[in-house]
Amino acid sequence: MRVGVTLACTECKRRNYTTTKNKKNDPNRIEMKKYCKFCHTHTVHKETR
């Protein structure tokens, strides 16, 4: 049930993180607030396809 997803920064659009999610519990795209080493700040990262 768990699938790997890539998270991209909403500010600079770079793909910084990979994680897993449960498609049954989270059918929509996930958003997490994480540190972007390119922006040098904490920003919202969204799931990419």
Side-chain angles (χ1 to χ4, degrees):
M1 254 338 211
R2 295 192 76 79
V3 294
V5 295
T6 305
L7 300 178
C9 177
T10 55
E11 302 294 320
C12 65
K13 307 294 190 236
R14 293 198 186 190
R15 294 176 174 164
N16 301 328
Y17 293 97
T18 58
T19 187
T20 60
K21 75 168 188 177
N22 188 332
K23 277 210 167 201
K24 193 173 192 178
N25 295 340
D26 300 307
N28 300 327
R29 292 187 185 187
I30 59 173
E31 292 183 0
M32 299 174 121
K33 194 163 190 179
K34 300 190 74 69
Y35 181 78
C36 178
K37 62 183 177 182
F38 303 104
C39 297
H40 302 290
T41 184
H42 284 83
T43 59
V44 175
H45 285 65
K46 290 186 179 180
E47 176 185 342
T48 60
R49 300 266 167 171

